[in-house]
Amino acid sequence: MSPNRPYLLRAFYDWIIDNKCTPYLVVDATYPAVKVPQQFVQNGQIVLNVLPSAVGNLQLGNDLVTFNARFGGQPFALSIPMKAVLAIYARENGAGTVFTLEEDDDTDEDFLEEVLDEELPPEPPKPSRGSHLKVIK
């Protein structure tokens, strides 16, 4: 199955917005290909306000979160691989979720090795090409 993190992220984002709260993303800024303003990273993480009025062109895709924002008055285009998103929560009350490794997709090498080591079930028989219908005149 595909990873559930993007779906959960979008659902929590919508839920937080629908409840008139401010969604914050916690991002692992050390994850490969993360593009965030490094001067705002603390302890390898950055917390980002993703309220629609605070960002532009927000895209919560299946593999990537992208948007434009201003930091210290300077525009910045952010690009965050989905696996780098650690949590989403509402600033006002802390409601949200933390993503765990178990919610990652199943493309890990260990999983692939397990699948490749398993014996595959036999293929079902193919249907015959002949027709079972008779022409009646």
Side-chain angles (χ1 to χ4, degrees):
M1 292 186 65
S2 62
N4 63 11
R5 185 177 299 204
Y7 299 95
L8 293 172
L9 179 66
R10 288 188 289 266
F12 272 95
Y13 179 84
D14 289 343
W15 175 66
I16 291 168
I17 294 295
D18 288 350
N19 283 281
K20 312 262 186 280
C21 291
T22 308
Y24 276 20
L25 292 183
V26 180
V27 175
D28 177 356
T30 66
Y31 194 86
V34 168
K35 186 179 173 193
V36 296
Q38 292 298 310
Q39 65 270 32
F40 296 98
V41 172
Q42 294 180 353
N43 299 320
Q45 297 180 353
I46 187 168
V47 178
L48 301 165
N49 174 352
V50 287
L51 188 67
S53 61
V55 299
N57 301 319
L58 177 65
Q59 297 291 317
L60 301 173
N62 286 342
D63 299 317
L64 204 59
V65 175
T66 60
F67 59 95
N68 299 317
R70 291 189 169 273
F71 294 86
Q74 297 298 320
F76 196 91
L78 292 88
S79 179
I80 303 158
M82 190 56 70
K83 285 187 177 184
V85 178
L86 302 175
I88 182 170
Y89 68 94
R91 180 191 69 191
E92 292 78 5
N93 59 18
T97 192
V98 174
F99 298 107
T100 63
L101 293 176
E102 289 78 28
E103 292 164 348
D104 275 345
D105 68 355
D106 291 333
T107 58
D108 294 291
E109 289 180 35
D110 293 339
F111 174 80
L112 289 175
E113 285 177 23
E114 284 177 28
V115 169
L116 293 174
D117 288 343
E118 288 180 14
E119 206 171 297
L120 295 175
E123 282 190 36
K126 293 182 181 176
S128 64
R129 298 236 182 234
S131 174
H132 298 286
L133 299 176
K134 292 182 181 179
V135 178
I136 302 175
K137 292 186 183 181

